[in-house]
Amino acid sequence: MQYPIHYRFWISGEEGTFLGQGRITLLEAIAETGSINKAAQSMKMSYRKAWKLIDSMNAQAPNPLVVRVSGGAGGGGTQLTDDGRRVLDEYKKLQEKIRTYFEEELSSFDWKT
């Protein structure tokens, strides 16, 4: 019998949560849509809450993770910085390592005791 593993982890800073699954999902949605508003809508989250999460991440990071882009033919929007993309990639790598670790540990667990 297989038992699925469910876990959550987050990275805390001096001001509280810096990164967690919800914030990562928000960063992914911003990267995909180029808009805080569209990203928030896709997550059924208010724009205000999305902006507060972004502001918190930007304040805690050495460099901003998300920036607004003004003007242009598309009317501007929001995008991840290079640091934002790097943080997103590193979080996903860590998440995969944790998932692999838990699966290996669970597979060696003796369920007959």
Side-chain angles (χ1 to χ4, degrees), residues 49-91:
K49 181 172 181 179
W51 182 246
K52 286 176 97 172
L53 294 174
I54 292 164
D55 195 40
S56 172
M57 288 184 284
N58 279 347
Q60 294 184 75
N63 298 303
L65 305 182
V66 176
V67 292
R68 292 182 183 181
V69 180
S70 60
T78 308
Q79 66 184 26
L80 298 186
T81 62
D82 289 340
D83 284 344
R85 285 186 291 280
R86 184 183 53 77
V87 163
L88 188 61
D89 290 342
E90 291 298 322
Y91 185 94

Side-chain angles (χ1 to χ4, degrees), residues 7-11 18-25 27-28 85-98:
Y7 64 92
R8 290 184 64 119
F9 74 95
W10 54 94
I11 299 168
F18 171 54
L19 291 173
Q21 189 55 54
R23 292 171 187 234
I24 291 298
T25 301
L27 292 177
E28 290 172 327
R85 285 186 291 280
R86 184 183 53 77
V87 163
L88 188 61
D89 290 342
E90 291 298 322
Y91 185 94
K92 287 180 178 182
K93 287 177 189 175
L94 179 58
Q95 189 175 41
E96 181 60 23
K97 286 180 181 179
I98 291 170

